[in-house]
Amino acid sequence: MNDIKEKDNSITIPKTLKTTMIGVFAALTIVLALAPLPSIGYVNLTAVMETIGALVGSTGFLGALGVTVGGLIYNLYKPSSLFLQAGFLPMAMGAIFMALLMYRKHSLALFLATALLALFFIAPGNTHVPFWALWDKYLAILLIIPAIILVKKTFRPKINLKYLFPTVLLVSFVGLEVDAMMGNLLFGLYSYSLLGMTAEAVGDLYIPFALAAAWERLIVALISALITVPLIIAVDKNPKIRWLIHRR
Protein backbone atom coordinates (compact mmCIF):
# COMPACT_ATOMS: atom_id res chain seq x y z
CA MET A 1 0.00 0.00 0.00
CA ASN A 2 2.97 2.32 0.56
CA ASP A 3 3.59 2.26 -3.20
CA ILE A 4 0.31 4.04 -3.90
CA LYS A 5 0.87 7.68 -4.70
CA GLU A 6 -1.84 10.29 -4.74
CA LYS A 7 -1.33 13.74 -6.24
CA ASP A 8 -3.93 16.24 -7.42
CA ASN A 9 -6.66 13.61 -7.09
CA SER A 10 -4.82 11.24 -9.49
CA ILE A 11 -3.73 7.85 -8.23
CA THR A 12 -0.85 5.66 -9.34
CA ILE A 13 -1.58 2.04 -8.52
CA PRO A 14 1.02 -0.76 -8.86
CA LYS A 15 0.04 -3.29 -11.53
CA THR A 16 0.34 -6.14 -9.05
CA LEU A 17 -2.19 -4.47 -6.76
CA LYS A 18 -4.57 -3.89 -9.67
CA THR A 19 -4.37 -7.58 -10.55
CA THR A 20 -4.95 -8.54 -6.94
CA MET A 21 -8.04 -6.38 -6.60
CA ILE A 22 -9.50 -7.67 -9.87
CA GLY A 23 -8.92 -11.17 -8.49
CA VAL A 24 -10.70 -10.31 -5.23
CA PHE A 25 -13.83 -9.05 -6.99
CA ALA A 26 -13.72 -11.98 -9.41
CA ALA A 27 -13.55 -14.43 -6.52
CA LEU A 28 -16.47 -12.78 -4.74
CA THR A 29 -18.52 -12.96 -7.94
CA ILE A 30 -17.76 -16.66 -8.40
CA VAL A 31 -18.59 -17.45 -4.77
CA LEU A 32 -21.95 -15.68 -5.01
CA ALA A 33 -22.68 -17.33 -8.35
CA LEU A 34 -22.05 -20.75 -6.77
CA ALA A 35 -24.15 -19.93 -3.70
CA PRO A 36 -27.84 -20.91 -3.76
CA LEU A 37 -29.03 -17.30 -3.69
CA PRO A 38 -32.72 -16.56 -4.27
CA SER A 39 -34.03 -14.60 -7.23
CA ILE A 40 -36.37 -11.63 -7.47
CA GLY A 41 -38.44 -12.69 -10.43
CA TYR A 42 -35.90 -13.43 -13.17
CA VAL A 43 -33.09 -11.49 -11.46
CA ASN A 44 -30.73 -13.63 -9.37
CA LEU A 45 -29.32 -11.81 -6.33
CA THR A 46 -25.80 -12.47 -7.61
CA ALA A 47 -26.51 -9.24 -9.50
CA VAL A 48 -25.67 -7.29 -6.32
CA MET A 49 -22.01 -7.81 -7.27
CA GLU A 50 -22.51 -5.49 -10.22
CA THR A 51 -23.19 -2.57 -7.89
CA ILE A 52 -20.60 -3.59 -5.29
CA GLY A 53 -17.86 -4.07 -7.87
CA ALA A 54 -18.65 -0.99 -9.94
CA LEU A 55 -18.89 1.44 -7.00
CA VAL A 56 -16.65 0.05 -4.26
CA GLY A 57 -13.92 -0.80 -6.79
CA SER A 58 -14.58 2.07 -9.18
CA THR A 59 -10.99 3.31 -9.46
CA GLY A 60 -9.54 1.99 -12.70
CA PHE A 61 -12.73 -0.02 -13.30
CA LEU A 62 -11.08 -2.68 -11.12
CA GLY A 63 -14.30 -3.92 -9.54
CA ALA A 64 -16.20 -4.00 -12.83
CA LEU A 65 -13.34 -5.91 -14.46
CA GLY A 66 -13.32 -8.31 -11.53
CA VAL A 67 -17.06 -8.95 -11.89
CA THR A 68 -16.55 -9.52 -15.62
CA VAL A 69 -13.71 -11.99 -15.05
CA GLY A 70 -15.64 -13.78 -12.31
CA GLY A 71 -18.74 -14.03 -14.45
CA LEU A 72 -16.70 -15.32 -17.39
CA ILE A 73 -14.97 -18.00 -15.31
CA TYR A 74 -18.25 -19.15 -13.77
CA ASN A 75 -19.91 -19.23 -17.18
CA LEU A 76 -17.13 -21.38 -18.59
CA TYR A 77 -17.70 -23.76 -15.68
CA LYS A 78 -21.48 -23.67 -16.00
CA PRO A 79 -22.74 -22.12 -19.25
CA SER A 80 -26.03 -20.25 -19.08
CA SER A 81 -29.08 -22.27 -20.08
CA LEU A 82 -30.31 -19.27 -22.09
CA PHE A 83 -27.19 -17.50 -23.31
CA LEU A 84 -24.64 -20.36 -23.41
CA GLN A 85 -21.02 -19.09 -23.26
CA ALA A 86 -22.18 -15.46 -23.55
CA GLY A 87 -24.05 -15.70 -20.26
CA PHE A 88 -21.57 -13.46 -18.45
CA LEU A 89 -22.21 -10.49 -20.76
CA PRO A 90 -25.36 -9.02 -19.10
CA MET A 91 -23.70 -8.91 -15.67
CA ALA A 92 -20.45 -7.58 -17.14
CA MET A 93 -22.31 -4.90 -19.07
CA GLY A 94 -24.22 -3.79 -15.98
CA ALA A 95 -21.05 -3.48 -13.87
CA ILE A 96 -19.05 -1.69 -16.56
CA PHE A 97 -21.94 0.69 -17.23
CA MET A 98 -22.19 1.63 -13.54
CA ALA A 99 -18.43 2.24 -13.54
CA LEU A 100 -18.89 4.58 -16.51
CA LEU A 101 -21.42 6.53 -14.45
CA MET A 102 -18.90 6.73 -11.60
CA TYR A 103 -16.41 8.23 -14.07
CA ARG A 104 -19.03 10.75 -15.28
CA LYS A 105 -18.78 9.45 -18.87
CA HIS A 106 -22.25 10.63 -19.83
CA SER A 107 -21.69 10.66 -23.61
CA LEU A 108 -20.35 7.11 -23.70
CA ALA A 109 -23.03 5.87 -21.30
CA LEU A 110 -25.83 7.41 -23.37
CA PHE A 111 -24.39 6.01 -26.60
CA LEU A 112 -23.97 2.51 -25.16
CA ALA A 113 -27.48 2.31 -23.69
CA THR A 114 -29.09 3.76 -26.82
CA ALA A 115 -27.13 1.37 -29.06
CA LEU A 116 -28.23 -1.66 -27.02
CA LEU A 117 -31.84 -0.50 -27.27
CA ALA A 118 -31.62 0.04 -31.02
CA LEU A 119 -29.98 -3.36 -31.56
CA PHE A 120 -32.79 -4.95 -29.56
CA PHE A 121 -35.42 -3.93 -32.09
CA ILE A 122 -33.46 -5.19 -35.09
CA ALA A 123 -32.60 -8.57 -33.54
CA PRO A 124 -34.51 -11.30 -35.42
CA GLY A 125 -36.42 -12.56 -32.38
CA ASN A 126 -37.54 -9.13 -31.17
CA THR A 127 -39.28 -7.81 -34.26
CA HIS A 128 -42.75 -8.36 -32.76
CA VAL A 129 -42.03 -6.90 -29.30
CA PRO A 130 -44.29 -3.83 -28.77
CA PHE A 131 -42.35 -0.57 -28.54
CA TRP A 132 -44.12 0.41 -25.31
CA ALA A 133 -43.15 -2.85 -23.56
CA LEU A 134 -39.63 -1.52 -22.96
CA TRP A 135 -40.79 1.65 -21.21
CA ASP A 136 -38.46 1.03 -18.27
CA LYS A 137 -35.44 0.95 -20.61
CA TYR A 138 -36.36 4.40 -21.98
CA LEU A 139 -36.72 5.59 -18.39
CA ALA A 140 -33.27 4.22 -17.56
CA ILE A 141 -31.72 6.17 -20.45
CA LEU A 142 -33.45 9.35 -19.25
CA LEU A 143 -32.08 8.74 -15.74
CA ILE A 144 -28.43 8.55 -16.89
CA ILE A 145 -27.84 12.31 -16.61
CA PRO A 146 -29.55 12.64 -13.18
CA ALA A 147 -27.49 9.64 -12.00
CA ILE A 148 -24.24 11.30 -13.07
CA ILE A 149 -25.29 14.58 -11.44
CA LEU A 150 -25.83 12.72 -8.16
CA VAL A 151 -22.49 10.94 -8.56
CA LYS A 152 -20.79 14.34 -8.90
CA LYS A 153 -22.51 15.58 -5.75
CA THR A 154 -21.72 12.44 -3.76
CA PHE A 155 -18.29 11.10 -4.70
CA ARG A 156 -15.96 13.95 -3.83
CA PRO A 157 -12.66 13.82 -1.92
CA LYS A 158 -14.99 13.69 1.10
CA ILE A 159 -18.02 11.54 0.30
CA ASN A 160 -21.30 13.38 0.80
CA LEU A 161 -23.30 10.99 2.99
CA LYS A 162 -26.48 13.02 2.45
CA TYR A 163 -26.69 11.89 -1.17
CA LEU A 164 -24.98 8.51 -0.87
CA PHE A 165 -27.99 6.19 -0.61
CA PRO A 166 -30.12 7.77 -3.38
CA THR A 167 -27.04 7.94 -5.61
CA VAL A 168 -26.19 4.26 -5.17
CA LEU A 169 -29.84 3.29 -5.62
CA LEU A 170 -30.20 5.26 -8.86
CA VAL A 171 -26.86 4.13 -10.31
CA SER A 172 -27.71 0.53 -9.43
CA PHE A 173 -31.17 0.71 -11.01
CA VAL A 174 -29.88 2.21 -14.26
CA GLY A 175 -27.03 -0.31 -14.41
CA LEU A 176 -29.36 -3.25 -13.83
CA GLU A 177 -31.61 -2.00 -16.60
CA VAL A 178 -28.60 -1.95 -18.94
CA ASP A 179 -27.82 -5.50 -17.76
CA ALA A 180 -31.37 -6.37 -18.84
CA MET A 181 -30.89 -4.65 -22.20
CA MET A 182 -27.93 -6.90 -22.95
CA GLY A 183 -29.86 -9.97 -21.83
CA ASN A 184 -32.86 -8.99 -23.96
CA LEU A 185 -30.60 -8.46 -26.96
CA LEU A 186 -28.98 -11.89 -26.58
CA PHE A 187 -32.42 -13.44 -26.18
CA GLY A 188 -33.60 -11.87 -29.43
CA LEU A 189 -30.43 -12.82 -31.30
CA TYR A 190 -30.48 -16.55 -30.57
CA SER A 191 -31.83 -17.63 -27.17
CA TYR A 192 -35.45 -17.66 -28.29
CA SER A 193 -34.59 -20.19 -31.01
CA LEU A 194 -32.85 -22.43 -28.45
CA LEU A 195 -36.21 -22.60 -26.64
CA GLY A 196 -38.04 -23.40 -29.87
CA MET A 197 -39.94 -20.08 -29.82
CA THR A 198 -41.08 -18.03 -32.78
CA ALA A 199 -40.60 -14.27 -33.09
CA GLU A 200 -44.34 -13.81 -32.61
CA ALA A 201 -44.20 -15.77 -29.35
CA VAL A 202 -41.34 -13.58 -28.11
CA GLY A 203 -43.48 -10.49 -28.64
CA ASP A 204 -46.32 -12.02 -26.63
CA LEU A 205 -43.84 -12.90 -23.85
CA TYR A 206 -42.87 -9.27 -23.18
CA ILE A 207 -46.39 -7.93 -22.71
CA PRO A 208 -47.30 -9.50 -19.32
CA PHE A 209 -43.83 -8.74 -17.90
CA ALA A 210 -43.67 -5.11 -19.03
CA LEU A 211 -44.44 -3.84 -15.52
CA ALA A 212 -43.05 -6.70 -13.41
CA ALA A 213 -39.55 -6.49 -14.94
CA ALA A 214 -39.04 -2.91 -13.75
CA TRP A 215 -40.20 -3.76 -10.23
CA GLU A 216 -37.81 -6.72 -10.11
CA ARG A 217 -34.84 -4.53 -10.94
CA LEU A 218 -35.93 -1.79 -8.57
CA ILE A 219 -36.11 -4.30 -5.69
CA VAL A 220 -32.67 -5.73 -6.57
CA ALA A 221 -31.29 -2.18 -6.83
CA LEU A 222 -32.68 -1.43 -3.36
CA ILE A 223 -31.07 -4.56 -1.91
CA SER A 224 -27.82 -3.70 -3.69
CA ALA A 225 -27.88 -0.18 -2.24
CA LEU A 226 -28.54 -1.45 1.29
CA ILE A 227 -25.45 -3.67 1.00
CA THR A 228 -23.18 -1.33 -0.96
CA VAL A 229 -23.67 1.88 1.04
CA PRO A 230 -22.20 0.46 4.30
CA LEU A 231 -19.33 -1.04 2.28
CA ILE A 232 -18.56 2.34 0.71
CA ILE A 233 -18.58 4.03 4.12
CA ALA A 234 -16.30 1.35 5.58
CA VAL A 235 -13.85 1.51 2.66
CA ASP A 236 -13.83 5.31 2.74
CA LYS A 237 -12.90 5.29 6.42
CA ASN A 238 -9.93 2.99 5.85
CA PRO A 239 -6.96 5.05 4.58
CA LYS A 240 -5.27 1.95 3.15
CA ILE A 241 -8.10 1.09 0.74
CA ARG A 242 -10.12 4.31 0.32
CA TRP A 243 -8.36 4.82 -3.03
CA LEU A 244 -10.57 2.03 -4.42
CA ILE A 245 -13.46 4.50 -4.72
CA HIS A 246 -13.19 6.90 -7.64
CA ARG A 247 -13.90 10.48 -6.64
CA ARG A 248 -13.23 14.06 -7.70
Side-chain angles (χ1 to χ4, degrees):
M1 295 295 181
N2 294 331
D3 294 331
I4 300 174
K5 298 178 181 179
E6 185 172 351
K7 183 179 180 180
D8 298 329
N9 293 329
S10 62
I11 299 175
T12 302
I13 310 167
K15 291 183 179 180
T16 53
L17 187 54
K18 289 182 180 180
T19 303
T20 299
M21 296 314 303
I22 290 173
V24 169
F25 285 104
L28 287 172
T29 302
I30 294 170
V31 168
L32 285 182
L34 290 171
L37 291 178
S39 296
I40 306 296
Y42 286 99
V43 188
N44 188 279
L45 283 183
T46 306
V48 300
M49 274 306 302
E50 296 177 35
T51 307
I52 293 172
L55 276 67
V56 177
S58 49
T59 296
F61 284 65
L62 298 179
L65 290 174
V67 170
T68 300
V69 171
L72 174 60
I73 292 173
Y74 176 77
N75 200 240
L76 291 174
Y77 162 72
K78 188 178 180 181
S80 168
S81 58
L82 276 181
F83 307 132
L84 304 178
Q85 282 72 26
F88 74 98
L89 285 177
M91 191 174 189
M93 183 62 68
I96 291 171
F97 192 86
M98 290 185 214
L100 285 175
L101 299 183
M102 288 292 289
Y103 269 80
R104 293 74 160 164
K105 300 293 185 181
H106 60 277
S107 298
L108 184 54
L110 284 167
F111 172 79
L112 184 59
T114 304
L116 286 173
L117 195 57
L119 289 171
F120 173 88
F121 285 107
I122 63 176
N126 296 331
T127 53
H128 293 279
V129 175
F131 188 79
W132 60 265
L134 270 71
W135 66 272
D136 55 316
K137 308 303 181 289
Y138 315 136
L139 175 63
I141 291 175
L142 292 175
L143 290 174
I144 289 174
I145 298 301
I148 291 178
I149 291 173
L150 274 178
V151 166
K152 289 179 179 179
K153 289 179 176 290
T154 304
F155 292 96
R156 300 167 175 262
K158 183 178 180 181
I159 291 179
N160 190 332
L161 297 179
K162 176 182 177 181
Y163 296 109
L164 183 57
F165 186 84
T167 300
V168 175
L169 178 62
L170 185 56
V171 169
S172 181
F173 175 73
V174 173
L176 289 170
E177 286 287 354
V178 172
D179 168 325
M181 289 185 197
M182 175 56 75
N184 290 342
L185 174 58
L186 293 177
F187 189 82
L189 287 174
Y190 63 88
S191 296
Y192 77 101
S193 61
L194 295 177
L195 298 176
M197 297 177 65
T198 63
E200 291 83 358
V202 173
D204 293 338
L205 181 67
Y206 274 81
I207 295 174
F209 293 105
L211 183 59
W215 278 107
E216 289 169 6
R217 284 168 183 85
L218 181 58
I219 293 171
V220 175
L222 179 60
I223 294 171
S224 299
L226 289 171
I227 296 172
T228 305
V229 166
L231 287 175
I232 290 174
I233 293 172
V235 169
D236 185 56
K237 288 182 178 179
N238 189 326
K240 292 185 178 181
I241 57 174
R242 70 186 307 270
W243 59 269
L244 276 169
I245 303 171
H246 179 75
R247 62 190 89 210
R248 287 182 184 174

